[in-house]
């Protein structure tokens, strides 16, 4: 294909991606370098019979004018990145000095909102991803052993939790886990503790969110592995059987190695999607117990009347750096494959 | 020896069947429970004292005279005007899917037929874009959109959803077009067609299976989106998913949580129909990226 033709074919999609994905990233970065204007204060003196008093009031008009004049705010450099609600370098140093051991250091760090969100995001990602991989493989093998007629129904039911909107699916689950919902109330009866609710306990909320994450993404890994199982060569299975391998041994030594490329594909997808965990926290109304990097951005943008673009921008850039770190092994590997092919 | 192998086989099967059975119950039960419960009153849906109330609708019978009530649906659709959100969703989803597929088909075809190095880099960039959290992009849109006065419009949300959709659409259609033999369009070009004519007369007629599969996923992305639609649409232009989420806040205060339950069931119902008719395409779409690497 000629360069010119290629250009015209790719133009619509490329311009959409540049305008609405690449430029917003630049825009986010620029936003993160500025900080909102402070309100313009006017000091007025009112003198009465008992002497003069000075009152400070906000000059709304001047503040508005300033904001309209330069909506980005004033230049702040990388200041926002290191402030109290982001990397908080000063606070971390202080906690490090004051802490007596690792445990107290971690305790102190968890009081800082950015690190709390980061810890939750990482915990969620690295618990949900392996759990979904293992359970998905197990269920794929199970469904593969089912009679043909039942497989279709099993896949139909499995697709439901995956395809339902995250916000809707997590809402459904949160109603059931609620203190008055069927699962929540049953748990209270079993443990005979009426105060046991996900809304009142951080660890329970984390567990609920992780269970939701597994429920929601398990179908994806199951479907991919199930499709992979259809391609396992029959001869190899036969040979394993002749050599006296039992089902478990065949599974570990033949089937799993065959599925390995799929495992790395599913892992990549899961890491990308789990790292941006966001909707379940909104639906579970879990902000008090669990914040992820994404909900952190949302709450900055939702700040009534005056969205905190700088803070949201800084968190966004830090999130993008996180994504880049997660993706780097894949990009490096693809690059190696590519250059190996071209030489 | 034979019996031993046989018995091992049954344990293996038993365990895997039990696991599949447990998973299917866990997957389906929340939906069945919520659909059933959406026809009850709140006291039954959240029946703390006795869960059988939710099944038989004891309080529903007491309050409304029948074991089933459609009060939740009436409240959501008529009182809270959920039908407006449904219409908005239809408009936004329709245009997002059509535009995404048009852009994606052209781009995917070009990438599949171009052996240049920059084709690889465009695909890599698309992969990285695919990983961007949507909310970080939204925080980049807000300020410029407010400045240009295009915040809150349906058109804005459609364009943004199309763009966010592109990386995935490109990858999928690219791998699909790779499977269509090159000879087809190239022989048309030998016969005197331009590249676009070859694309239009030779490729377009055979591309529909791949386009439909990709379209299903574009539909799901637009239909299920929350980050973009909740932050970039004004109240009257809101789609179903953010409307459901904002119901949750407003109706909980008034004790009308059943409105939200009814709205959730209404928003999920089309997906049941979709899976019913397009199960095969959805499964093949999910695995397309994986199998071809």
């Amino acid at each position: 294909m000629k360069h010119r033709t290629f250009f015209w074919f790719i133009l619509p999609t490329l311009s959409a991606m540049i305008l609405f994905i690449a430029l917003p990233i630049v825009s986010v970065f620029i936003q993160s370098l500025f900080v909102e204007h402070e309100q313009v204060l006017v000091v007025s003196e009112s003198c009465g019979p008992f002497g003069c008093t000075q009152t400070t009031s906000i000059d709304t008009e001047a503040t508005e004018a300033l904001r309209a004049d330069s909506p980005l705010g004033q230049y702040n450099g990388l200041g926002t990145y290191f402030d109290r609600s982001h990397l908080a370098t000063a606070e971390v140093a202080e906690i490090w000095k004051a802490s007596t051991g690792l445990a107290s250091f971690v305790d102190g760090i968890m009081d800082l909102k950015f690190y709390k969100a980061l810890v939750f995001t990482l915990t969620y990602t690295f618990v949900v991803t392996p759990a979904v991989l293992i359970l998905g493989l197990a269920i794929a093998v199970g469904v593969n052993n089912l009679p043909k007629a039942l497989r279709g129904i099993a896949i139909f039911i499995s697709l439901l939790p995956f395809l339902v909107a995250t916000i809707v699916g997590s809402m459904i689950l949160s109603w059931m886990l609620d203190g008055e919902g069927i699962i929540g109330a049953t748990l209270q009866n079993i443990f005979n503790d009426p105060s046991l609710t996900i809304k009142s306990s951080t660890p329970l909320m984390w567990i609920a969110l992780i269970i939701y994450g597994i429920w929601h993404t398990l179908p994806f890994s199951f479907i991919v592995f199930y499709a992979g199982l259809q391609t396992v060569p029959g001869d190899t299975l036969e040979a394993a059987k002749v050599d006296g391998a039992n089902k478990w041994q065949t599974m570990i030594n033949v089937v799993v190695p065959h599925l390995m490329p799929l495992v790395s594909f599913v892992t990549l997808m899961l890491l990308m999607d789990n790292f941006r965990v966001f909707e379940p926290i909104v639906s579970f109304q879990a902000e008090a117990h669990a914040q992820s990097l994404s909900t952190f951005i949302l709450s900055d943008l939702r700040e009534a009347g005056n969205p905190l673009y700088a803070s949201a921008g800084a968190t966004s850039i830090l999130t993008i750096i996180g994504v880049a770190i997660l993706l780097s092994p894949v990009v490096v590997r693809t690059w190696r494959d590519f250059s190996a092919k071209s030489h | 020896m034979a019996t031993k192998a046989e018995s091992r086989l049954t344990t293996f099967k038993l365990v895997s069947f039990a696991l599949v059975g447990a998973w299917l119950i866990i997957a389906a039960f929340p939906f069945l429970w919520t659909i059933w419960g959406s026809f009850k009153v709140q006291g039954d849906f959240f029946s703390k004292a006795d869960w059988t109330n939710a099944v038989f609708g004891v309080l529903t019978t007491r309050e409304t005279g029948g074991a089933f009530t459609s009060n939740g649906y009436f409240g959501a659709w008529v009182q809270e005007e959920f039908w407006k959100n449904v219409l908005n969703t239809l408009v936004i989803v329709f245009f997002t899917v059509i535009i995404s597929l048009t852009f994606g088909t052209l781009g995917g075809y070009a990438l599949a037929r171009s052996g240049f190095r920059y084709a690889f880099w465009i695909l890599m960039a698309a992969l990285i874009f695919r990983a961007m959290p949507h909310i970080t992009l939204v925080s980049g849109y807000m300020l410029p959109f407010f400045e240009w006065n295009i915040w809150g419009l349906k058109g804005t949300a459609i364009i943004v959803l199309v763009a966010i959709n592109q990386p995935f659409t490109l990858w999928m259609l690219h791998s699909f077009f790779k499977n269509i033999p090159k000879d087809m369009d190239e022989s048309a070009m030998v016969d005197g067609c331009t590249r676009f004519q070859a694309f239009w007369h030779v490729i377009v007629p055979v591309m529909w299976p791949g386009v439909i599969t990709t379209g299903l996923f574009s539909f799901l992305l637009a239909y299920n989106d929350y980050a973009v639609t909740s932050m970039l649409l004004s109240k009257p232009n809101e789609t179903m998913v953010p409307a459901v989420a904002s119901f949750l806040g407003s109706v909980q205060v008034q004790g009308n949580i059943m409105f939200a339950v009814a709205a959730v069931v209404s928003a999920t119902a089309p997906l049941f129909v979709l899976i019913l008719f397009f199960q095969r395409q959805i499964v093949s779409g999910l695995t397309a990226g994986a199998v071809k690497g």
Side-chain angles (χ1 to χ4, degrees), chain B residues 101-102 104-106 109 173 176-177 180 184 199-200 202-214:
Chain B
L101 287 180
T102 314
T105 317
L106 292 170
Y109 174 72
L173 285 168
F176 174 75
F177 282 123
I180 298 181
M184 282 182 67
F199 171 74
W200 188 251
V202 180
I203 299 296
V204 168
V206 298
M207 71 179 186
W208 295 109
V211 171
I212 288 173
T213 307
T214 316

Side-chain angles (χ1 to χ4, degrees), chain A residues 18-100:
Chain A
I18 289 174
L19 277 176
F20 293 100
I21 303 181
L23 282 185
I25 295 172
V26 177
S27 149
V28 158
F29 179 67
I30 294 172
Q31 280 171 33
S32 71
L33 298 180
F34 289 81
V35 69
E36 285 75 18
H37 291 291
E38 279 158 26
Q39 282 157 329
V40 181
L41 302 178
V42 270
V43 183
S44 54
E45 213 176 37
S46 57
C47 290
F50 306 106
C52 292
T53 49
Q54 276 193 345
T55 50
T56 317
S57 63
I58 297 163
D59 186 343
T60 341
E61 235 170 73
T63 312
E64 284 300 315
L66 192 61
R67 284 202 180 131
D69 198 34
S70 55
L72 272 174
Q74 46 190 334
Y75 186 70
N76 187 33
L78 292 176
T80 313
Y81 288 88
F82 297 106
D83 73 1
R84 208 191 128 70
S85 46
H86 294 90
L87 290 175
T89 35
E91 282 80 2
V92 171
E94 223 161 83
I95 292 165
W96 179 248
K97 253 184 248 155
S99 64
T100 48

Side-chain angles (χ1 to χ4, degrees), chain B residues 129-149:
Chain B
F129 288 160
R130 155 83 173 71
M132 287 299 140
H134 298 168
I135 191 79
T136 64
L137 299 177
V138 168
S139 63
Y141 302 137
M142 297 275 283
L143 192 57
F145 285 3
F146 273 125
E147 288 300 303
W148 300 331
N149 245 338

Side-chain angles (χ1 to χ4, degrees), chain B residues 74-257:
Chain B
F74 182 81
W77 281 75
V78 181
Q79 206 172 313
E80 300 282 333
E81 300 190 313
F82 191 61
W83 60 271
K84 282 187 181 164
N85 305 115
V86 176
L87 284 184
N88 290 335
T89 309
L90 283 180
V91 172
I92 290 180
V93 166
F94 177 78
F95 284 105
T96 307
V97 171
I98 298 293
I99 302 173
S100 291
L101 287 180
T102 314
F103 287 12
T105 317
L106 292 170
Y109 174 72
L111 289 173
R113 289 293 183 262
S114 165
F116 299 122
R117 185 170 275 242
Y118 52 67
F120 168 81
W121 284 113
I122 291 174
L123 280 172
M124 270 336 270
L127 181 70
I128 292 165
F129 288 160
R130 155 83 173 71
M132 287 299 140
H134 298 168
I135 191 79
T136 64
L137 299 177
V138 168
S139 63
Y141 302 137
M142 297 275 283
L143 192 57
F145 285 3
F146 273 125
E147 288 300 303
W148 300 331
N149 245 338
I150 53 169
W151 181 88
L153 305 175
K154 282 199 198 79
T156 315
I158 291 171
I159 295 171
V160 166
L161 284 173
V162 165
I164 287 184
N165 224 337
Q166 279 309 301
F168 175 79
T169 316
L170 264 187
W171 266 92
M172 212 153 151
L173 285 168
H174 156 255
S175 66
F176 174 75
F177 282 123
K178 277 226 139 144
N179 282 353
I180 298 181
K182 254 185 182 165
D183 306 344
M184 282 182 67
D185 37 332
E186 268 163 19
S187 58
M189 283 168 68
V190 170
D191 292 345
C193 281
T194 63
R195 179 57 87 165
F196 187 77
Q197 280 169 333
F199 171 74
W200 188 251
H201 294 294
V202 180
I203 299 296
V204 168
V206 298
M207 71 179 186
W208 295 109
V211 171
I212 288 173
T213 307
T214 316
L216 283 170
F217 284 91
S218 307
F219 168 86
L220 286 169
L221 182 131
Y223 188 85
N224 288 344
D225 177 86
Y226 176 72
V228 173
T229 50
S230 74
M231 297 306 290
L232 293 186
L233 284 171
S234 59
K235 202 85 193 152
N237 285 335
E238 231 171 30
T239 55
M240 276 147 89
V241 169
V244 167
S246 61
F247 265 1
L248 197 65
S250 64
V251 297
Q252 215 160 26
V253 183
Q254 306 152 12
N256 279 335
I257 200 160

Side-chain angles (χ1 to χ4, degrees), chain A residues 1-3 5-6 9-10 12-14 16-17 20-22 24-25 27-28 31 71-72 138-139 141-143 145-146 152 154-165 167-168 171-173 175-176 178-182 185 188-189 194 215 218-220 223-224 227 246-248 251 262 265 268-269 272-273 276 278-279 282-283 285 294 297-298 301-302 309 312 316 319-320 323 327 330-331 334-335 338 342, chain B residues 8-9 12-13 16-17 19-20 23-24 26-31 33-34 45-48 51 103 106-107 109-111 113-114 116-122 124 126-147 159-160 163-164 166-167 170 195-196 199 220 224 226-227 230-231 241 244-245 248 252 257 260-261 264 268 271-272 275-276 279 282-283 286-287 289-291:
Chain A
M1 189 181 261
K2 284 195 211 88
H3 292 286
T5 350
F6 180 81
F9 270 95
I10 203 87
T13 173
L14 202 60
M17 286 199 291
F20 293 100
I21 303 181
I25 295 172
S27 149
V28 158
Q31 280 171 33
L72 272 174
I139 290 167
V141 171
V143 170
N145 285 332
L146 284 180
I155 292 174
F156 174 79
I157 295 173
S158 300
L159 279 174
L160 288 173
F162 178 59
L163 294 185
V164 71
I167 205 108
V168 169
M171 217 172 267
I172 289 176
L173 236 63
W175 285 328
M176 298 177 77
D178 189 87
E180 306 197 332
I182 170 142
Q188 285 180 2
N189 284 337
W215 181 76
L218 185 58
F220 171 65
I223 298 277
V224 173
N246 65 29
K247 276 266 178 182
W248 296 106
M251 182 72 201
L262 295 187
F265 165 77
L268 169 72
M269 290 294 167
M272 280 188 331
D273 289 345
R276 52 187 182 199
F278 158 53
E279 282 113 327
V282 177
S283 272
Q285 297 174 316
S294 295
I297 300 169
L298 182 79
L301 292 177
R302 284 254 168 95
Y309 293 119
S316 295
T319 312
I320 291 173
V323 171
L327 276 186
V330 186
V331 176
T334 324
W335 170 241
F338 180 77
S342 63
Chain B
R8 265 189 198 145
L9 208 79
F12 184 85
K13 279 206 167 163
S16 63
F17 285 164
L19 198 69
V20 171
W23 158 247
L24 291 181
I26 294 169
F29 178 68
F31 292 101
W33 178 261
T34 310
F45 187 68
F46 292 107
S47 46
K48 190 174 183 157
W51 63 271
F103 287 12
L106 292 170
Y109 174 72
L111 289 173
R113 289 293 183 262
S114 165
F116 299 122
R117 185 170 275 242
Y118 52 67
F120 168 81
W121 284 113
I122 291 174
M124 270 336 270
L127 181 70
I128 292 165
F129 288 160
R130 155 83 173 71
M132 287 299 140
H134 298 168
I135 191 79
T136 64
L137 299 177
V138 168
S139 63
Y141 302 137
M142 297 275 283
L143 192 57
F145 285 3
F146 273 125
E147 288 300 303
I159 295 171
V160 166
I164 287 184
Q166 279 309 301
L170 264 187
R195 179 57 87 165
F196 187 77
F199 171 74
L220 286 169
N224 288 344
Y226 176 72
S230 74
M231 297 306 290
V241 169
V244 167
L248 197 65
Q252 215 160 26
I257 200 160
V261 179
V264 156
T268 318
L271 292 178
F272 282 82
I275 304 176
L276 207 57
Q279 181 170 333
I282 294 172
V283 170
L286 278 180
T287 51
V291 179

